[in-house]
Amino acid sequence: MSGFPVDRTALAEALTFWITDGVVRDAVGGGPLSSLMTHVNFGRLFEMNDRLLGSLTRLETVVGRIDETLALLHSLDRRAASAGRPAAGGEFSALVTERARGFVGRRHVIAEIDAALSAPDFSSGYVFITGEPGIGKTSLLAHLVSVRGLPHYFNSRSEGTTSPAEFFAKTAAQLAERYGVFVPDSWEASSGGALFSRLLSEAAARATAERPLVLAIDALDEADSPPPGANRLFLPRSLPEHTYIIVTSRELNDPSLAVDRRRDVHIADDSPENLGDIAEYIRGRTEGPHARELAVRMAAWGMTSARFEDFLVTKSQGNFLYVFHIVEDISRHRLTPEALSDPRKLPNGLRDYYKVHWQVMKERWPPSLADRYETALRCLAVMREPVPLGAWTDLAPDVDDAVARHVVGEWREFLNTRWSDDHDEPVYAVYHSTFVDFLRVEGPGLEPYERMVYRIERSLLLDLLGERPATGDRPG
């Protein structure tokens, strides 16, 4: 780029903003640009300020040429990969299988969904399933996808599947496979919303009142924030006849979710139906693979199975994720000494569980390494996509390979670890948004670590461009 009369630092800043908005999410998410990632630290860069936007405006010529190049690369990469592409929707098969395996209850919620889909005055539209984080919305949707074969998309920060471009690519492939609609080899991410609406209309032409087109989208609240005036994932405001989109989300007062026709199904944590479903889930766990360990603990506490079930339902405050973690802790002997002797000392609800578990784990850390372990975990929590070990240690100051691997071993149930073909090694992310929410308000929070990771990312980008980072850009 030496032929352009542009200050190189301004160029680095403008590219930082532009990469954040497009290239990195595509590449790390396993999109067409994954093979172009020559440096792991292009994994995630934070949004820039007005000064960077100004730099980007001054580089319109450069950006125009990059966009043109990207369009060509998208087309070439899609054609090259088409022969070995997995079946449409197969990317989520492991998640669907895992979440649907332990599914119980929810008969009342499914009945409400079916009532909406068959209502005479609701011939198309959105069905929003809302509830607190950890209440089991993803498992419910995985069950529906599994038993009904619905086209689907699962947003997940921990999996790096949150971008409109990836949503369009994966759902369009499913619509093409199921309904025979034509998806062009080359398309621009900016036109994905309009093209998706057209594909829905073409697919809906084959739908009927008896056999409607139903698309399932999980965790819409985790999808990338859209530009002003647009819906998340650029979802259309109106849907064609006999077309429905079932959406799960935590409760949002979000102006970027404007649709013409919708029905709402809310899962209340304190409803008798939800508490009954949790009791059924606990009953299944006490009769499952960990039945012996749980029976030993119940005997030590002087509880029958029925009493244990009622006790955990009360402690859970209506949250499935709480019960999952507590049962795991009981079966793996990870309770506090106080709770071992008195079950009333078990935490109440998911947030209290995280607080107790956080303190227990911190007490196990050697004092000389405690700060480094905490930095490693908090830095991982602010990374928007799963990262390989090398990127994690590069972006987290004072965190080396040994520290990162210790955190993986000690916090395994809170982390998502999967193999990445793009990196040819495992990648890591914090598993559930509720734990990230907890870290955001616990102790120093996450803001200092967000700034820390951003400064290192910017420094590395300047290094790649041959510029010396400004003093203080690389802490540690």
Side-chain angles (χ1 to χ4, degrees):
M1 294 188 182
S2 58
F4 293 97
V6 179
D7 176 76
R8 290 171 67 86
T9 300
L11 174 61
E13 293 174 340
L15 285 176
T16 299
F17 177 88
W18 179 78
I19 288 170
T20 300
D21 193 56
V23 175
V24 170
R25 292 180 185 175
D26 188 315
V28 178
L33 298 181
S34 58
S35 59
L36 303 180
M37 294 295 287
T38 58
H39 197 288
V40 293
N41 298 299
F42 278 78
R44 182 194 57 80
L45 302 176
F46 293 104
E47 294 184 1
M48 300 292 93
N49 55 26
D50 292 340
R51 178 173 61 82
L52 299 186
L53 285 171
S55 298
L56 186 58
T57 301
R58 293 194 299 273
L59 293 173
E60 287 177 347
T61 303
V62 178
V63 173
R65 295 187 182 188
I66 294 173
D67 284 342
E68 181 181 352
T69 303
L70 275 178
L72 293 172
L73 290 171
H74 270 286
S75 178
L76 290 171
D77 197 81
R78 284 174 183 277
R79 292 180 184 180
S82 60
R85 184 175 297 145
E91 299 88 347
F92 301 109
S93 59
L95 183 151
V96 169
T97 300
E98 176 62 28
R99 292 302 188 93
R101 180 185 296 122
F103 179 81
V104 298
R106 296 307 190 212
R107 287 172 283 275
H108 61 294
V109 179
I110 295 173
E112 287 189 60
I113 295 170
D114 288 339
L117 297 181
S118 60
D121 60 342
F122 192 61
S123 58
S124 68
Y126 289 80
V127 179
F128 276 77
I129 304 171
T130 58
E132 291 296 315
I135 207 166
K137 301 183 295 296
T138 298
S139 294
L140 168 62
L141 208 67
H143 169 74
L144 292 176
V145 167
S146 177
V147 300
R148 300 186 179 185
L150 305 179
H152 54 276
Y153 186 81
F154 287 79
N155 290 285
S156 172
R157 294 281 182 201
S158 67
E159 290 283 355
T161 55
T162 60
S163 73
E166 186 173 10
F167 163 75
F168 172 76
K170 291 184 177 178
T171 53
Q174 293 177 70
L175 293 176
E177 184 176 277
R178 294 163 188 249
Y179 296 95
V181 298
F182 172 72
V183 182
D185 287 338
S186 180
W187 49 271
E188 292 290 339
S190 59
S191 65
L195 187 53
F196 178 68
S197 295
R198 178 177 69 78
L199 294 179
L200 270 184
S201 296
E202 292 178 6
R206 303 190 178 188
T208 64
E210 293 74 27
R211 299 190 65 179
L213 189 166
V214 182
L215 171 65
I217 303 175
D218 185 50
L220 189 62
D221 54 291
E222 294 193 32
D224 294 343
S225 297
N231 278 336
R232 288 177 184 260
L233 302 180
F234 294 101
L235 291 173
R237 185 183 185 107
S238 299
L239 299 178
E241 286 288 290
H242 312 310
T243 302
Y244 302 90
I245 296 181
I246 301 176
V247 172
T248 71
S249 173
R250 68 174 70 187
E251 293 181 80
L252 290 175
N253 181 19
D254 193 339
S256 63
L257 290 174
V259 299
D260 289 339
R261 296 163 58 82
R262 65 182 281 176
R263 296 288 173 89
D264 290 276
V265 179
H266 180 63
I267 305 175
D269 51 11
D270 59 351
S271 70
E273 295 85 358
N274 182 57
L275 297 178
D277 289 342
I278 288 181
E280 184 177 347
Y281 175 77
I282 296 169
R283 199 174 311 129
R285 295 300 300 271
T286 59
E287 299 169 357
H290 298 304
R292 182 177 178 279
E293 293 89 343
L294 293 174
V296 169
R297 181 49 43 200
M298 285 187 281
W301 286 340
M303 290 183 177
T304 63
S305 295
R307 171 64 183 131
F308 178 73
E309 182 182 304
D310 292 340
F311 177 75
L312 277 195
V313 167
T314 302
K315 284 285 186 179
S316 74
Q317 297 182 348
N319 193 283
F320 268 86
L321 192 56
Y322 170 93
V323 175
F324 170 80
H325 283 312
I326 283 291
V327 170
E328 286 292 305
D329 285 353
I330 292 174
S331 60
R332 299 180 187 277
H333 312 288
R334 290 189 304 215
L335 297 179
T336 63
E338 294 81 9
L340 280 172
S341 59
D342 185 355
R344 292 173 298 179
K345 298 296 179 63
L346 287 173
N348 297 299
L350 186 61
R351 177 171 173 75
D352 193 27
Y353 171 81
Y354 284 144
K355 186 173 183 178
V356 170
H357 190 84
W358 179 251
Q359 292 302 320
V360 169
M361 296 302 288
K362 289 187 72 172
E363 289 172 2
R364 293 173 53 178
W365 292 342
S368 61
L369 294 174
D371 288 344
R372 296 172 67 187
Y373 289 157
E374 183 166 355
T375 295
L377 191 58
R378 288 185 183 271
C379 283
L380 186 64
V382 304
M383 298 179 193
R384 290 175 62 93
E385 288 89 11
V387 294
L389 201 67
W392 183 4
T393 55
D394 280 348
L395 297 175
D398 298 324
V399 174
D400 56 21
D401 185 270
V403 168
R405 291 188 185 279
H406 176 86
V407 171
V408 170
E410 290 291 304
W411 292 85
R412 188 172 300 278
E413 71 271 30
F414 290 94
L415 303 182
N416 182 10
T417 304
R418 63 175 174 84
W419 181 263
S420 168
D421 290 333
D422 298 317
H423 295 286
D424 197 29
E425 62 178 303
V427 291
Y428 306 92
V430 173
Y431 171 68
H432 205 279
S433 61
T434 55
F435 188 52
V436 177
D437 293 342
F438 166 77
L439 291 176
R440 196 168 292 281
V441 298
E442 174 68 19
L446 293 179
E447 276 193 33
Y449 300 89
E450 289 172 337
R451 292 193 298 268
M452 192 183 297
V453 169
Y454 160 68
R455 287 197 301 269
I456 295 176
E457 286 177 325
R458 181 178 181 276
S459 170
L460 290 167
L461 180 57
L462 288 170
D463 283 344
L464 288 173
L465 292 172
E467 292 290 330
R468 179 176 296 178
T471 303
D473 272 355
R474 188 158 189 167

